[in-house]
Amino acid sequence: MNDQYSVLYPTYHWFVPSQFNIAQACVHRWAENPQEGRRIAIYHETEVGQREIWTYSRLSETTNKLSNGLVKMGVQPGARVAVIMGQRPEAVAAYMAVFSVGAIAVPLQTLIGADGLATRLRDADARVAIVDATTAPDLLQAQAQCATLSQIVALGFEHETVIPWRSLLARQPSEFKSIATKSDTAALLLYTAGTAGAPKGALLAHGSLIGTLPGFVAAQNWYPLKGDVFWSPTEWARGTGLMNALLPPLYFGQSLVGTLGDFSPTRCLEVMERYRVTNAFLLPKAIKLIMHHIPAPRDRYQLALRAIMASGESLDAGAFEWCRKALGVTPNEVFGQTEMNAVIGNSHKKWPAKPGSIGRPYPGHQVTVLDSRGERCAVGAVGEIALNRYDIHKHPDPALFLGYWRNETATQSKFSGDWCLTGDLASIDEDGYLWYAGRSDDSFRSSGHRIGPGEIENCLLGHSAVSSAAVVPKPDSHRGALVKAYVVLRNCAKGLDAQVLQKELQEHVRTRLASYQTPREIEFVDTLPLTNTGNIRRHILRAREQQRSATVAAARK
């Protein structure tokens, strides 16, 4: 194919207006024109199949009413307002109302429990929360631990201490003039996944939406085209759900689908068929579930997919090829973080996608990998992925976060000069593609070799018996550490002989990677420890190995 990257990347220039408000850009400007206001903003479907349609005009009117309600509740610019709701239109109105009044939205996931909510609400110093019935009971428990949380607006949940959504909106006018915010005004307080410790709050500006658009447009094969309909099962309360699934389609005035209920491969395909979804954002684990349960989806479903964006973990070569053959779509893998969304990735219509690679830096972002001295790594050498504060034209990169909430020490440690460090390892090949090698705090040395778990895990995932895998160091007095793999088997392999399977998996890795990357030990387990966002908590497995080694050493004394 024609590789257009060498033209697209150097010619891209940012245009970030001095004043920019996400709510105005995503909702109100469309509703101001009666014809555009009648366009469908959201197709919504509940877990029991109830459906409704929200136009941009309806979404704007609901946002205005809630904005007036928030102002009367005393919410001022800069105040933190928690939004804890599933994929429903009211959640969109809640975010847009917070943005409209100049406050800071604090998205919180519905499954983190009362203690998880309390920890984040206290840290954010939130005084108001907007919640639906799914999480309202947990929030009421959390409120007892949060001295500043004084007001709760609840949808579909009645309690003497909450303000009913419908009652609040019924008393409010449908006109509201949004606060004029600068593009660098704080809009979102997003909490990191906490894969290696306590979650931190990353503060993002209104202009961060502009910063994510090049990656979104490229990953969605030059979105939007006429008739595009977008959907993702990823929670909108997650940073990736907001920045990769909710806000960009609204920014372009297109239609998106919101669904409530648990994910399943069957429902995923049914939703995409029913709403003629053309563009999707799927986590690799969701792709793998569909692949395992419905190997030939186009035999059963009439799909309209033209683009799939995959992010959250590395998409192994097997899943990549399955998407191409079974879905008829080449997936575009995307790399980013809460602090810098969608800065690396693929766009296979514009440049070739290499299976297993996380892609090239998207236009507008200056990305490299740095060694321990903060110098750029040579081709093929593993280093830490870093994003510069400025693009190649010396303009500030709007995708970069403002800093960690009330944690200047953590903010400073995130940077090396103008480079923002991701904590993720990768190498860059001669064509400028990045190859993920795991987290820097997950890397270790074995017999003098630096080991990144990501490449080994992806190799293991390429074996037909493996469902998921995690690689960690096992302490060893001679080598410093041995490469150890924890493996969850697919159901079809659970009855096989463990010793035979271990040798087969070791040979599988040995013939595909360097010999020193071959796991010396493989432990088969039923599950791996995960964060509530599905990321592997390798530090728990590392601690387990350290404890086991200490116990063995003590027994020998």
Side-chain angles (χ1 to χ4, degrees):
M1 66 169 289
N2 181 27
D3 187 347
Q4 302 176 40
Y5 186 83
S6 61
V7 174
L8 292 169
Y9 183 79
T11 57
Y12 185 86
H13 289 266
W14 290 110
F15 174 70
V16 182
S18 58
Q19 287 194 338
F20 182 77
N21 184 284
I22 292 175
Q24 178 63 29
C26 290
V27 175
H28 299 313
R29 66 165 168 154
W30 304 117
E32 289 167 0
N33 182 305
Q35 183 174 353
E36 291 179 332
R38 288 193 292 270
R39 296 211 312 255
I40 295 171
I42 305 169
Y43 295 97
H44 185 242
E45 183 175 303
T46 69
E47 55 268 72
V48 294
Q50 295 176 329
R51 304 172 200 167
E52 62 177 331
I53 290 174
W54 281 50
T55 63
Y56 276 93
S57 291
R58 182 182 177 184
L59 183 57
S60 179
E61 181 178 337
T62 304
T63 296
N64 287 339
K65 288 182 177 181
L66 183 55
S67 299
N68 283 308
L70 291 176
V71 170
K72 289 183 179 178
M73 292 166 64
V75 175
Q76 298 180 351
R80 280 73 60 203
V81 178
V83 180
I84 317 164
M85 307 178 87
Q87 274 197 9
R88 58 173 72 249
E90 293 87 352
V92 184
Y95 287 119
M96 297 303 158
V98 176
F99 300 144
S100 293
V101 303
I104 300 172
V106 186
L108 296 176
Q109 295 176 54
T110 59
L111 299 177
I112 59 176
D115 290 345
L117 290 172
T119 297
R120 291 159 177 80
L121 289 166
R122 285 197 306 269
D123 186 69
D125 198 19
R127 192 169 65 83
V128 176
I130 306 171
V131 65
D132 60 20
T134 302
T135 318
D138 283 344
L139 182 60
L140 290 179
Q141 291 184 47
Q143 187 180 28
Q145 307 175 48
C146 304
T148 60
L149 183 60
S150 58
Q151 295 172 300
I152 297 175
V153 179
L155 174 68
F157 179 84
E158 294 185 2
H159 191 274
E160 59 184 9
T161 63
V162 307
I163 303 171
W165 171 282
R166 297 187 187 282
S167 298
L168 177 64
L169 266 64
R171 300 190 293 266
Q172 310 305 325
S174 58
E175 298 294 328
F176 182 83
K177 183 173 177 58
S178 296
I179 299 294
T181 56
K182 294 183 178 180
S183 59
D184 60 357
T185 299
L188 286 162
L189 181 55
L190 300 175
Y191 281 88
T192 59
T195 55
K200 297 187 292 290
L203 205 57
L204 272 64
H206 282 270
S208 63
L209 173 57
I210 296 175
T212 206
L213 292 179
F216 180 85
V217 168
Q220 292 298 335
N221 293 335
W222 253 239
Y223 183 95
L225 299 181
K226 184 178 180 181
D228 276 353
V229 177
F230 188 91
W231 178 67
S232 173
T234 306
E235 272 196 83
W236 291 339
R238 296 179 59 175
T240 53
L242 267 175
M243 305 305 289
N244 293 334
L246 176 60
L247 297 180
L250 297 175
Y251 175 86
F252 288 109
Q254 299 298 111
S255 301
L256 63 89
V257 180
T259 54
L260 295 175
D262 295 333
F263 174 87
S264 75
T266 299
R267 191 185 184 206
C268 177
L269 292 167
E270 288 175 347
V271 167
M272 289 195 285
E273 179 184 55
R274 182 156 45 249
Y275 295 100
R276 308 302 295 159
V277 171
T278 57
N279 300 73
F281 166 50
L282 298 173
L283 299 178
K285 63 180 180 181
I287 293 174
K288 292 170 188 175
L289 278 174
I290 300 171
M291 178 175 70
H292 294 156
H293 287 84
I294 309 174
R298 288 191 291 178
D299 290 348
R300 295 168 52 182
Y301 301 94
Q302 298 296 315
L303 302 177
L305 276 173
R306 73 173 188 86
I308 295 176
M309 175 182 184
S311 182
E313 61 182 273
S314 186
L315 186 66
D316 62 83
F320 180 93
E321 289 300 329
W322 178 84
C323 285
R324 293 212 304 187
K325 294 176 180 178
L327 294 176
V329 177
T330 299
N332 289 318
E333 186 163 351
V334 174
F335 171 87
Q337 292 188 328
T338 304
E339 299 88 345
M340 57 190 89
N341 186 62
V343 295
I344 302 168
N346 281 309
S347 184
H348 85 95
K349 294 289 187 180
K350 299 294 183 179
W351 61 85
K354 293 186 179 183
S357 168
I358 59 174
R360 290 160 155 171
Y362 281 126
H365 306 298
Q366 186 182 173
V367 178
T368 193
V369 295
L370 302 176
D371 62 21
S372 58
R373 301 185 304 275
E375 302 292 334
R376 292 177 185 259
C377 290
V379 171
V382 173
E384 185 171 359
I385 302 172
L387 172 72
N388 202 282
R389 293 181 187 271
Y390 305 96
D391 68 4
I392 58 173
H393 305 292
K394 307 302 181 183
H395 299 141
D397 189 333
L400 193 59
F401 78 135
L402 297 173
Y404 290 118
W405 173 249
R406 294 176 176 174
N407 194 338
E408 184 60 25
T409 300
T411 301
Q412 292 298 324
S413 66
K414 187 75 172 172
F415 286 85
S416 175
D418 286 332
W419 292 103
C420 185
L421 307 174
T422 64
D424 288 286
L425 302 174
S427 61
I428 301 180
D429 68 19
E430 61 279 0
D431 298 319
Y433 288 81
L434 284 91
W435 298 82
Y436 190 71
R439 291 284 300 170
S440 60
D441 46 15
D442 289 329
S443 68
F444 57 95
R445 288 195 173 274
S446 176
S447 298
H449 298 285
R450 190 176 189 181
I451 305 294
E455 190 175 20
I456 304 172
E457 291 167 358
N458 285 337
C459 185
L460 287 167
L461 287 169
H463 192 281
S464 60
V466 178
S467 174
S468 57
V471 170
V472 296
K474 177 179 180 177
D476 181 82
S477 57
H478 299 294
R479 298 180 178 86
L482 299 178
V483 179
K484 174 164 182 178
Y486 284 84
V487 169
V488 178
L489 295 175
R490 295 182 184 177
N491 290 333
C492 61
K494 288 184 178 179
L496 301 177
D497 182 273
Q499 289 185 337
V500 173
L501 190 53
Q502 174 170 306
K503 291 180 179 179
E504 185 176 323
L505 292 176
Q506 288 172 326
E507 185 62 21
H508 177 80
V509 175
R510 186 178 293 110
T511 57
R512 289 163 175 81
L513 300 177
S515 59
Y516 62 81
Q517 293 176 289
T518 302
R520 293 297 185 103
E521 183 178 314
I522 296 177
E523 182 173 338
F524 299 107
V525 293
D526 293 330
T527 60
L528 295 173
L530 304 174
T531 66
N532 53 46
T533 59
N535 294 318
I536 298 172
R537 305 182 73 184
R538 294 185 188 85
H539 67 283
I540 291 179
L541 300 176
R542 290 173 69 123
R544 181 184 301 176
E545 290 303 317
Q546 291 169 358
Q547 180 61 44
R548 286 176 175 176
S549 295
T551 300
V552 171
R556 289 173 177 171
K557 292 181 179 179

